[in-house]
């Protein structure tokens, strides 16, 4: 067995070698290394355009890699502690879908928290798998869903021993981690695969002071958004497999939906970013955690805001906390998070990751400067001074437990009719409604629409949340399952 060297970047090295060969291109893409599209080349730069190339023998092929892509994936697997790593160019959405479709065929059950990203429920629509939802814990003061309680997972396993897999969010958008080791051990005792949506957990693999990663606890598959905290280009991601999961079968599943024209810009960014994290990750993420802690402390000194962290840990639904996450509760100053989000962007030229009803999330990475953090803190202090108001009358929302009447696939493809949103209570939704980000459905296909859900949707719209999911782009009408005559 060859000992792999993490300071190599095989895809980047192959592209550099290819550029020096001065090959005349009579293949796609048609911009021909940028010469055919001068405006695009001026905008993106010649370096970028010359490596936007097609699969060919010297550069390997993502759908069946045997040389440089294969070597890059092997290096990533070693860096992440996995049996194999697949480079994904359709985002972590396609990695989550590949996990679910690998584990479950039509009609088979999968246990998952209801506060999953839409990509997991989309996978159920595509595959016909049946969700068994575990309602996450809830922190009523902060209005955020937490992780899954081990006892709730155990109950779901006992009630559905025929389930094929369990899906875990690690961490949630807010930085909350479930007890992955206990859940993984429990699932394996009952012959179930463990799939982990690690969209926000890339850094867990490269810093020993952060929460446990999926591969470190023996999970079977994990979808990792390298482009979030890992530094690669948007839409690039990695799917990890472990244990007895078949590499060949997973690649077949990936190739059902992933492009046959894998972008070398995205793949080389994964390769270079993996090299950087493998060599420097401990130092990088210690610095990020330090910046986040400094900013948390400064925000908490302002008063009114609550930047929360490890003090929330309870050994179960908040088993651990990602200290690189800067999540801030805003309701005590009388402003929903989405309003603080809008004010920061519109009046202070500060773009944070998202705002929801009660909280904001500022994504901190190694690319931030101390000056930027100070600017954020100063803006939040000024927003409190200028805009804070009485918090009475603010929507006190917490997690709404869904009533699932149909599987997502049944409802999505069922005969349907369009109704005005306000007249839809009592009917079964055949589509999603969600605020994006974070992209966690308020309503998913197959769930009964209630007045409580409609009030929450209206409140989100009134406060300026970006709503999405329905066929009606204005989110005024909703498709519901047609009732039999």
């Amino acid at each position: 067995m060859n000992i792999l060297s993490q300071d190599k970047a095989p895809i980047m090295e192959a592209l550099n070698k290819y550029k020096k060969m001065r090959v005349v291109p009579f293949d796609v893409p048609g911009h021909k290394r940028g010469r055919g599209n001068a405006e695009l080349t001026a905008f993106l730069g010649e370096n970028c355009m010359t490596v936007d190339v097609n699969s060919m023998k010297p550069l390997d092929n993502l759908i069946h890699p045997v040389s440089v892509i294969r070597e890059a994936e092997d290096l990533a697997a070693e860096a992440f502690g996995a049996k194999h790593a697949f480079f994904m160019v359709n985002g972590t959405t396609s990695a989550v879908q590949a996990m679910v479709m690998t584990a479950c065929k039509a009609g088979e059950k999968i246990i998952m928290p209801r506060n999953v990203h839409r990509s997991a429920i989309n996978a159920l629509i595509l595959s016909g798998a049946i969700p068994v939802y575990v309602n996450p814990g809830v922190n009523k003061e902060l209005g955020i869903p937490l992780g899954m309680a081990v006892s709730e997972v155990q109950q779901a396993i006992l009630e559905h021993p025929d389930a094929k897999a369990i899906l875990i969010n690690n961490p949630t958008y807010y930085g909350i981690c479930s007890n992955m080791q206990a859940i993984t051990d429990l699932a394996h005792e009952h012959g179930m695969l463990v799939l982990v949506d690690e969209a926000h957990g890339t850094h867990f693999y490269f810093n020993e002071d952060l929460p446990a990663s999926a591969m470190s606890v023996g999970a079977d598959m994990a979808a990792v958004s390298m482009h979030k905290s890992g530094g690669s280009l948007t839409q690039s991601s990695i799917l990890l497999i472990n244990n007895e999961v078949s590499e060949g079968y997973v690649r077949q599943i990936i190739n059902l939906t992933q492009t046959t024209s894998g972008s070398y810009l995205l793949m080389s960014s994964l390769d270079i970013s993996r090299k950087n994290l493998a060599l420097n990750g401990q130092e990088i993420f210690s610095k990020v955690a330090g910046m986040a802690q400094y900013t948390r402390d400064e925000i908490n000194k302002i008063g009114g805001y609550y930047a929360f962290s490890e003090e929330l840990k309870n050994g179960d639904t908040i088993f651990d906390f990602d200290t690189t996450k800067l999540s801030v509760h805003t309701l005590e100053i009388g402003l929903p998070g989405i309003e603080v989000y809008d004010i920061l962007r519109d009046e202070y030229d500060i773009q944070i990751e998202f705002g929801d009803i009660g909280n904001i999330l500022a994504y901190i990475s190694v690319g931030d400067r101390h000056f930027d953090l100070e600017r954020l803190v100063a803006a939040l202090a000024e927003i409190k001074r200028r805009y804070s108001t009485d918090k009475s009358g603010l929507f006190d929302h917490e997690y709404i437990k869904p009533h699932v009447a149909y599987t997502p696939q049944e409802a999505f493809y069922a005969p349907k009719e369009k109704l005005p949103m306000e007249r839809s209570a009592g009917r079964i939704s055949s589509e999603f409604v969600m605020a994006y980000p974070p992209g966690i459905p308020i309503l998913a296909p197959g769930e009964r629409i209630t007045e409580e859900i409609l009030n929450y949707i209206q409140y989100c719209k009134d406060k300026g949340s970006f709503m999405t999911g329905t066929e009606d782009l204005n989110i005024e009408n909703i498709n519901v399952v047609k009732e039999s005559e």
Side-chain angles (χ1 to χ4, degrees), residues 244-470:
E244 303 309 309
V245 177
S246 163
E247 178 194 335
Y249 182 62
V250 173
R251 199 175 294 281
Q252 286 179 326
I253 295 288
I254 290 169
N255 287 340
L256 292 175
T257 56
Q258 182 160 258
T259 178
T260 54
S261 306
S263 163
Y264 279 85
L265 299 176
L266 297 182
M267 287 189 281
S268 60
S269 82
L270 285 171
D271 198 21
I272 295 164
S273 300
R274 179 272 314 151
K275 171 186 169 183
N276 183 36
L277 296 186
L279 299 179
N280 308 305
Q282 182 69 27
E283 177 191 345
I284 287 171
F285 294 120
S286 290
K287 181 180 177 185
V288 172
M291 289 193 292
Q293 188 58 50
Y294 168 80
T295 314
R296 247 192 305 276
D297 292 341
E298 293 299 303
I299 290 171
N300 286 333
K301 286 176 191 170
I302 297 169
Y305 297 106
Y306 174 32
F308 49 90
S309 185
E310 291 186 294
E311 70 280 357
L312 295 180
K313 290 199 295 194
N314 61 17
D316 193 15
T317 52
I318 313 174
F319 183 76
D320 211 342
F321 187 84
D322 175 8
T323 54
T324 71
K325 289 282 188 296
L326 183 63
S327 302
V328 185
H329 188 62
T330 64
L331 289 185
E332 291 302 314
I333 65 164
L335 293 175
I338 186 61
E339 289 194 8
V340 176
Y341 170 99
D342 286 339
I343 295 167
L344 282 169
R345 185 195 59 238
D346 296 343
E347 299 191 27
Y348 294 91
D349 295 325
I350 294 173
Q351 180 63 59
I352 58 171
E353 177 68 11
F354 82 91
D356 63 14
I357 296 306
N359 306 275
I360 57 172
L361 174 71
Y363 219 97
I364 294 181
S365 82
V366 74
D368 289 311
R369 301 165 297 179
H370 193 76
F371 168 77
D372 300 323
L373 305 177
E374 296 287 4
R375 188 169 157 188
L376 173 63
V377 172
L380 288 173
E382 199 170 297
I383 288 169
K384 182 195 170 190
R385 181 174 58 76
R386 291 174 61 198
Y387 294 101
S388 67
T389 183
D390 179 23
K391 74 167 190 168
S392 63
L394 285 178
F395 196 90
D396 183 18
H397 167 68
E398 60 183 64
Y399 173 77
I400 301 172
K401 293 181 180 179
H403 175 268
V404 181
Y406 293 83
T407 70
Q409 188 183 65
E410 286 170 341
F412 187 79
Y413 291 115
K416 52 194 154 195
E417 59 183 315
K418 184 185 292 184
L419 284 180
M421 192 77 76
E422 66 273 12
R423 285 184 27 223
S424 65
R427 301 295 294 273
I428 309 300
S429 177
S430 76
E431 56 189 357
F432 290 99
V433 181
M434 69 199 97
Y436 190 87
I440 297 166
I442 299 167
L443 196 56
E447 294 175 1
R448 190 172 298 282
I449 304 166
T450 65
E451 289 291 351
E452 184 184 19
I453 289 169
L454 292 175
N455 289 341
Y456 182 50
I457 291 169
Q458 188 58 47
Y459 187 81
C460 290
K461 288 169 74 173
D462 290 346
K463 291 301 177 185
S465 293
F466 179 71
M467 305 301 289
T468 180
T470 54

Side-chain angles (χ1 to χ4, degrees), residues 99-111 124 127-130 163-165 193 195 249:
M99 290 197 302
V100 174
M101 295 196 301
T102 296
C104 302
K105 299 180 178 65
E108 294 180 341
K109 295 176 186 172
I110 178 169
I111 296 168
L124 305 178
S127 69
I130 300 168
K164 298 294 180 183
L193 292 176
L195 321 178
Y249 182 62

Side-chain angles (χ1 to χ4, degrees), residues 11-271:
I11 296 174
M12 179 185 75
E13 291 158 19
L15 287 167
N16 281 333
K17 186 176 176 183
Y18 176 75
K19 280 165 69 174
K20 287 176 185 169
M21 290 166 64
R22 304 176 70 83
V23 171
V24 178
F26 284 106
D27 61 351
V28 296
H31 62 66
K32 299 296 173 92
R33 313 303 180 258
R35 290 193 302 274
N37 193 334
E39 188 173 12
L40 183 62
T41 302
F43 180 64
L44 292 180
E46 195 176 335
N47 273 349
C48 173
M49 299 298 280
T50 55
V51 293
D52 181 39
V53 293
N54 190 31
S55 298
M56 61 189 79
K57 265 195 174 175
L59 297 178
D60 208 357
N61 192 313
L62 184 60
I63 64 171
H64 189 95
V66 294
S67 58
V68 293
I69 296 174
R70 175 75 201 197
E71 189 183 348
E73 289 185 338
D74 288 346
L75 282 161
E78 182 181 83
F80 282 87
K83 183 174 86 169
H84 187 68
F86 300 87
F87 281 10
M88 308 294 291
V89 295
N90 286 17
T92 306
T93 287
S94 66
V96 170
Q97 290 171 353
M99 290 197 302
V100 174
M101 295 196 301
T102 296
C104 302
K105 299 180 178 65
E108 294 180 341
K109 295 176 186 172
I110 178 169
I111 296 168
M112 59 169 66
R114 173 55 182 77
N115 60 321
V116 288
H117 188 263
R118 67 177 294 175
S119 58
I121 299 177
N122 281 344
L124 305 178
I125 293 173
L126 292 171
S127 69
I130 300 168
V132 173
Y133 291 128
V134 173
N135 293 315
V138 174
N139 182 301
K140 293 184 179 178
E141 288 71 40
L142 300 176
I144 62 171
L146 306 174
M148 294 188 288
V150 175
S151 59
E152 296 260 346
V153 174
Q154 189 166 25
Q155 187 62 33
I157 289 172
L158 293 174
E159 290 175 7
H160 302 274
D162 53 339
K164 298 294 180 183
I166 293 178
L167 187 140
I168 309 171
N169 286 346
N170 188 63
T172 68
Y173 227 132
Y174 302 97
I176 310 288
C177 300
S178 301
N179 187 344
M180 272 215 306
Q181 186 69 70
I183 294 171
T184 299
D185 292 345
L186 196 58
H188 286 166
E189 283 168 25
H190 291 83
M192 299 177 188
L193 292 176
V194 176
L195 321 178
V196 184
D197 180 349
E198 261 179 332
H200 297 277
T202 305
H203 43 299
F204 291 1
Y205 288 90
F206 300 99
N207 186 286
E208 59 199 21
D209 300 319
L210 293 174
S213 66
M215 293 296 105
S216 73
V217 302
D220 299 284
M221 303 181 78
V224 182
S225 284
M226 277 287 274
H227 67 92
K228 290 190 168 78
S229 60
S232 64
L233 290 177
T234 295
Q235 202 178 308
S236 61
S237 180
I238 288 179
L239 175 61
L240 305 172
I241 62 171
N242 202 0
N243 305 326
E244 303 309 309
V245 177
S246 163
E247 178 194 335
Y249 182 62
V250 173
R251 199 175 294 281
Q252 286 179 326
I253 295 288
I254 290 169
N255 287 340
L256 292 175
T257 56
Q258 182 160 258
T259 178
T260 54
S261 306
S263 163
Y264 279 85
L265 299 176
L266 297 182
M267 287 189 281
S268 60
S269 82
L270 285 171
D271 198 21

